[in-house]
Amino acid sequence: MDIFTNPVLIKNINTILGISLFTFLISFLITPFIGRLAVAVGAIDLPARLRRKTERGYNTRLHTNPYPKLGGLAMFIAMSITGLVLLIFSNNFNNIGNYTGLLLGILIIVVLGFLDDVYEISGSAQLLFQFFLVFIFLFSPMTPSGRHLSPISI
């Protein structure tokens, strides 16, 4: 089915656009505060001229000025606020336990991203964490009916 002829999408386009705009505005408003937090914790992306030649990422830096990192944290906070607002307005708390694995995985990804922005974690360590997250995702109930995506449950 073509996305532009999807009747569910067409019927709910105003709601989808409103939620997207709300999330964007929150992210836009909190980004300066996250930028200050990045400076405070040392999550700064330095250009190549300010790095040692042996440092990881030396050859990939194209910018000329230091920039704060932690943009993913701003997006996570904006999406979390939007999700909480939608949950409160929908008044449907019955199935929230079915999404525990997904929420835990997202939280771990955010923590990993934060630590990577501050300490520049190696690629192999990040990959190891991502494999761990896949297992959390696969072996957790993820559907509103409480069924597992995987036939094996932990």
Side-chain angles (χ1 to χ4, degrees), residues 7 23 33 37-39 52-53 67 73 76 85 87 90 98-99 101-104 109 114-115 125 140 144 151-152:
T23 307
F33 299 106
L37 174 66
V39 171
R52 292 184 299 255
K53 289 188 179 189
Y67 287 105
L73 183 61
F76 169 73
V85 168
L87 186 65
S90 72
N98 294 336
Y99 298 98
L102 177 65
L103 298 173
L104 181 62
I109 287 174
F114 180 87
L115 293 174
S140 299
I152 303 168

Side-chain angles (χ1 to χ4, degrees), residues 70-84:
L70 300 182
L73 183 61
M75 292 178 9
F76 169 73
I77 292 170
M79 288 187 275
S80 296
I81 290 171
T82 302
L84 286 173

Side-chain angles (χ1 to χ4, degrees), residues 62-122:
L62 300 176
H63 55 280
T64 56
N65 296 319
Y67 287 105
K69 298 180 185 180
L70 300 182
L73 183 61
M75 292 178 9
F76 169 73
I77 292 170
M79 288 187 275
S80 296
I81 290 171
T82 302
L84 286 173
V85 168
L86 290 173
L87 186 65
I88 290 168
F89 281 116
S90 72
N91 200 20
N92 185 6
F93 298 95
N94 298 335
N95 297 328
I96 197 161
N98 294 336
Y99 298 98
T100 308
L102 177 65
L103 298 173
L104 181 62
I106 291 170
L107 185 63
I108 293 172
I109 287 174
V110 170
V111 169
L112 177 63
F114 180 87
L115 293 174
D116 180 46
D117 285 347
V118 175
Y119 300 109
E120 295 192 359
I121 298 172
S122 71

